Amino acid sequence: MLLIVAHRFLRLDLTKDWVAQLHPPVVLLGLLLVATLYDLFRGRLRLRLLFPMVIQWAAWGWAGITKVVADGPATLRAFATHDFTKDLIFATLISVFFDSVRKLKQLAWVFVAVLTLVALVTLPQRDGDRKCFHYRFADVLGYNQLADNRPCATAAECYNVPQGESEWKDDGWACEHEGPWGLATVIDRIHYVGNLADPNAQAQALVMACALALGLLFWPQTGRESPFWRTLIRLALFAALVVMGLAVYYAASRAAQAALGVTLLCFFYTRIGPIGTLIGAAGGLPLALLSRRNQVEAAYSTLTRIETQVNGYMAFLDQPLFGVGFGNYEKISFITAHNSFLLSATEAGVIGSALFVLAVYVSFKLLFQVVRWPVPEPEPEDDPDGQGPPERNFAPTYDENGHEIEEFEPDENDENDGEAGAAEIIELKHLGMTLLSMLVGVGWCVTFLSLSYDVMWLFPVGIVAAFYGVSRDRLPEFEMRLSIWEILLVLLLGGLLPAIFAVIATRGW
């Protein structure tokens, strides 16, 4: 699964021909199937559908109904093989297989490493030589643009197509900075390939990786690492944070820059308190306020977003129950909604909107519940001086034969059995704070980007669902406290939300 996660975001098969010839998706899925069958045979794997994922699958089912209502039963097969279905399966696998804190920590390391590499590959684009790139008019942003290696200063120069390139004369042309791996900027914004081809998507993934890197940087110490190794890891994580922060800035995504700012605020506040807010503000506010986005292009983007959101609301008013149908937003507007709440309402009606809002609410609430979970006090005989819980120091101890005694990390086969002790709860709460700060950043991006049915929303939900399963296993008394009235109020808010957005947009607030 770690290899699948790395492949899903790195997509070397789209940049390296020799990797594509290895057919990594087929190989990795085959290995996953073999490993899953083996673990099921050994009784080491439990297949379960956790509550956050149940909501997502309900949204998937309703989206399929809206598609059939809008476009007919013949579209059901295409819907079943759509990226939404594949991304939801991917998120569900995340929730099933990462069933311990240790595995979730490994997932964080892999994701941080992958996004650090993405940042290192894309950052050189900003200083690359300007060359002419052509792309089909149907793909105006030109995420897969091709260079003809002509130097240029402006896009106008590129339309003088050489005689030997007459087949490209009807293409769109741009003068962009060339970078490594055949990549180039898009309107001077760095970007990658695959799910990260959109600069906004790359920036959001970097925000998520920054939150996870902060969690790893401040992870509660076990006492098993040597001081040298611990210092080296911290330096590497700090360097990764700097590189990824710069990549967010050069991706020029206003939503992601602000999201990184609120992510830092949330992380340091939950860890330190009010003083942490000052630390988070010192690191996040400059990044959130500075921008290298072309001002004319940014203003045009803002105006078109307001216009498309008004279009979406009007379409929602016309068909409030089923919406315009899944995947049909661009049939009623010239660009997508750039707001996940409005997108789900316009395409899937009040029920789709309500389910999406419920998914957001449940994800945040369960993380809050674990973060606020009390750490048990030590037994009186273990605390003769009344000084409270001892500092978490897991220096190894040895038996009479000189073998190290495992005091904290349980055996791999028994890691889901038994009740968590104080040390494990501290680690679980820290992971909860990390995921909460990550989800705050994702939530900010969700408000300004169309992610309702996208992997950039489903992937973090899969991680939160996995964390929910771990919390239920390690904290027997933990349960998702969600009353029927609470659910009804959230669903009502989800149904009313499109109207709120429309009022704000039309009044110029």
Side-chain angles (χ1 to χ4, degrees), residues 133-439:
F133 287 83
H134 63 99
Y135 51 87
R136 298 296 176 189
F137 280 117
D139 189 11
V140 176
L141 286 178
Y143 294 147
N144 299 311
Q145 66 267 57
L146 301 172
D148 71 347
N149 293 318
R150 285 184 294 151
C152 61
T154 64
E157 300 177 14
C158 300
Y159 281 90
N160 297 319
V161 179
Q163 186 175 0
E165 299 177 1
S166 57
E167 70 274 14
W168 296 336
K169 65 180 180 179
D170 294 327
D171 286 7
W173 288 89
C175 184
E176 299 287 354
H177 295 280
E178 188 178 37
W181 294 12
L183 299 172
T185 57
V186 175
I187 318 178
D188 288 337
R189 303 169 65 188
I190 66 172
H191 77 117
Y192 192 58
V193 296
N195 294 123
L196 309 182
D198 185 339
N200 293 316
Q202 176 181 330
Q204 184 202 332
L206 289 165
V207 170
M208 292 172 54
C210 285
L212 296 176
L214 282 170
L216 295 172
L217 183 63
F218 293 99
W219 197 272
Q221 299 302 315
T222 63
R224 296 181 184 278
E225 308 95 345
S226 67
F228 172 78
W229 181 245
R230 187 162 57 243
T231 301
L232 190 62
I233 290 176
R234 286 179 170 173
L235 288 174
L237 286 169
F238 183 78
L241 281 166
V242 172
V243 169
M244 290 189 291
L246 285 173
V248 171
Y249 173 70
Y250 282 103
S253 171
R254 292 171 292 177
Q257 287 180 236
L260 185 55
V262 297
T263 295
L264 293 174
L265 286 173
C266 178
F267 181 86
F268 286 106
Y269 176 77
T270 56
R271 183 174 177 84
I272 303 175
I275 297 177
T277 305
L278 299 177
I279 298 174
L285 285 180
L287 187 59
L289 296 175
L290 294 174
S291 176
R292 65 186 304 272
R293 188 85 172 263
N294 181 288
Q295 294 302 311
V296 175
E297 188 267 334
Y300 174 77
S301 175
T302 300
L303 291 174
T304 54
R305 289 187 184 204
I306 293 175
E307 185 177 348
T308 190
Q309 287 170 11
V310 173
N311 291 343
Y313 175 63
M314 298 305 294
F316 169 76
L317 281 183
D318 289 339
Q319 303 179 70
L321 180 57
F322 293 101
V324 299
F326 171 80
N328 289 340
Y329 191 94
E330 293 186 8
K331 291 183 179 180
I332 56 97
S333 189
F334 55 103
I335 58 172
T336 189
H338 285 86
N339 183 294
S340 300
F341 299 97
L342 183 60
L343 178 69
S344 59
T346 305
E347 290 193 348
V350 290
I351 296 178
S353 174
L355 287 171
F356 182 71
V357 173
L358 181 62
V360 174
Y361 178 78
V362 166
S363 298
F364 273 105
K365 180 161 185 177
L366 74 87
L367 289 175
F368 272 116
Q369 285 184 278
V370 176
V371 167
R372 297 178 61 187
W373 194 266
V375 178
E377 296 289 336
E379 297 296 331
E381 60 270 23
D382 297 331
D383 187 24
D385 299 327
Q387 299 297 318
E391 293 186 6
R392 188 169 183 266
N393 181 19
F394 293 96
T397 57
Y398 303 89
D399 60 19
E400 58 185 5
N401 297 320
H403 297 117
E404 183 177 337
I405 301 174
E406 296 283 347
E407 292 186 341
F408 172 62
E409 294 184 2
D411 181 74
E412 180 180 318
N413 295 326
D414 300 325
E415 61 186 2
N416 291 324
D417 299 329
E419 185 174 353
E424 288 178 279
I425 293 177
I426 291 174
E427 195 170 39
L428 195 65
K429 283 166 65 71
H430 174 78
L431 180 57
M433 294 176 191
T434 301
L435 295 182
L436 180 61
S437 62
M438 178 195 76
L439 196 62

Side-chain angles (χ1 to χ4, degrees), residues 66-89:
T66 66
K67 187 67 174 176
V68 171
V69 170
D71 302 328
T75 60
L76 193 57
R77 181 176 181 181
F79 171 79
T81 57
H82 191 271
D83 285 344
F84 178 30
T85 306
K86 299 174 184 177
D87 294 340
L88 188 52
I89 293 173

Side-chain angles (χ1 to χ4, degrees), residues 34-46 411-413:
V34 172
T36 301
L37 293 175
Y38 175 77
D39 274 357
L40 285 173
F41 178 75
R42 293 286 302 274
R44 296 168 56 183
L45 181 65
R46 291 177 295 167
D411 181 74
E412 180 180 318
N413 295 326

Side-chain angles (χ1 to χ4, degrees), residues 56-67:
Q56 295 297 332
W57 279 105
W60 176 85
W62 179 252
I65 292 174
T66 66
K67 187 67 174 176

